Amino acid sequence: MNGAPDTAMVLAAGLGIRMRPITATKPKPLIEVAGKSLLDWGLDSLAEVGVAKAVVNVHYLPEQIVAHVSRRQKPRIVISDESEALLDSAGGIVKALPELGPKPFYVVNADTFWVDEAESNLGRLAAAWDASKMDMLLMLADLRSATGHSGGTDFLVAPDGRLSRAGGDPSGLIYAGAAIVHPGIFAGAAIAKQSLNLYFDRAIAAGRLFGLRMNGSWITVGTPDAIAPAEAAVARAQVVGA
């Protein structure tokens, strides 16, 4: 693409119910793995590829996230307040569209992260983005590179990169919680609770959902006992990348 996205949406409004009792007093994005909060893993990856502004949505214990990101220099953080009602992934993006602007932007989940190999995976996404044929380009991980993932696969990848639902096929790949999205897909959408899955399916039907297999290690932390394996995976990945 002509220039990587310089804006991102960071989805950080979840309740983190499965992470209790830790999340009784702390929002899940602020849980630390290997000395860094889940939120900062994502924001650091965005800063590395030159993202200037990140919109972070908040709902549960929002004041903690607001205070935490106020200490960051890059990217510049804009808070999208969902304190009154959770809007889910797509609803949160629709609410933030005025701040995200008219150009394609990154979307990053604040409860998963990854350790790059030699090249930034977000940079690879930007290099592969083609607005003429894509509505969304998803970063994907295979089961072997994933730590903490308890579900199955999400998508099958055609030779040209187009995606279809995996339907439980073990040869499929996992959505790794990062993407480039064209804001036009939300045209006319109301600010209401809705999932990105709706937009994934629409893009599949239009032949405009694409994916890129990531390099490195993808890590998700769903429960408190997943923190230790996640930290071990970070240590292994950093040794490999050293």
Side-chain angles (χ1 to χ4, degrees), residues 13-235:
L15 297 173
I17 292 172
R18 294 172 58 225
M19 286 298 296
R20 290 177 180 169
I22 300 173
T23 49
T25 56
K26 177 185 290 189
K28 183 177 178 181
L30 297 188
I31 292 172
E32 290 195 356
V33 173
K36 184 189 297 191
S37 73
L38 294 171
L39 179 57
D40 283 325
W41 277 103
L43 289 171
D44 286 352
S45 293
L46 291 166
E48 181 184 344
V49 292
V51 168
K53 178 170 76 172
V55 181
V56 179
N57 66 345
V58 296
H59 173 78
Y60 177 64
L61 301 176
E63 67 285 349
Q64 292 189 33
I65 294 178
V66 171
H68 181 86
V69 298
S70 71
R71 298 189 286 269
R72 289 191 63 96
Q73 300 300 312
K74 295 180 181 180
R76 179 171 69 87
I77 305 297
V78 174
I79 296 295
S80 181
D81 188 356
E82 295 179 22
S83 296
E84 291 186 2
L86 269 174
L87 295 172
D88 208 339
S89 50
I93 293 171
V94 171
K95 184 178 189 297
L97 283 175
E99 287 289 349
L100 294 167
K103 297 179 181 179
F105 52 85
Y106 288 112
V107 176
V108 175
N109 292 351
D111 60 354
T112 63
F113 68 99
W114 61 93
V115 181
D116 292 321
E117 289 184 347
E119 187 179 1
S120 161
N121 282 294
L122 293 182
R124 292 177 63 238
L125 274 184
W129 172 258
D130 182 351
S132 70
K133 63 181 182 181
M134 300 175 182
D135 285 340
M136 291 184 276
L137 175 62
L138 310 187
M139 189 170 89
L140 304 171
D142 61 42
L143 288 169
R144 291 170 299 176
S145 69
T147 297
H149 181 67
S150 57
T153 61
D154 298 309
F155 297 103
L156 297 174
V157 186
D160 66 355
R162 282 185 171 86
L163 300 184
S164 58
R165 290 288 185 178
D169 190 324
S171 68
L173 299 176
I174 308 160
Y175 173 48
I180 295 176
V181 174
H182 194 289
I185 66 172
F186 302 108
I191 299 175
K193 187 174 183 178
Q194 54 183 332
S195 170
L196 271 176
N197 275 304
L198 169 65
Y199 293 88
F200 292 164
D201 289 337
R202 287 178 179 174
I204 288 172
R208 295 182 61 86
L209 185 69
F210 283 73
L212 182 70
R213 184 194 296 255
M214 63 164 287
N215 295 327
S217 301
W218 181 70
I219 301 165
T220 181
V221 184
T223 57
D225 60 6
I227 293 175
E231 293 186 327
V234 171

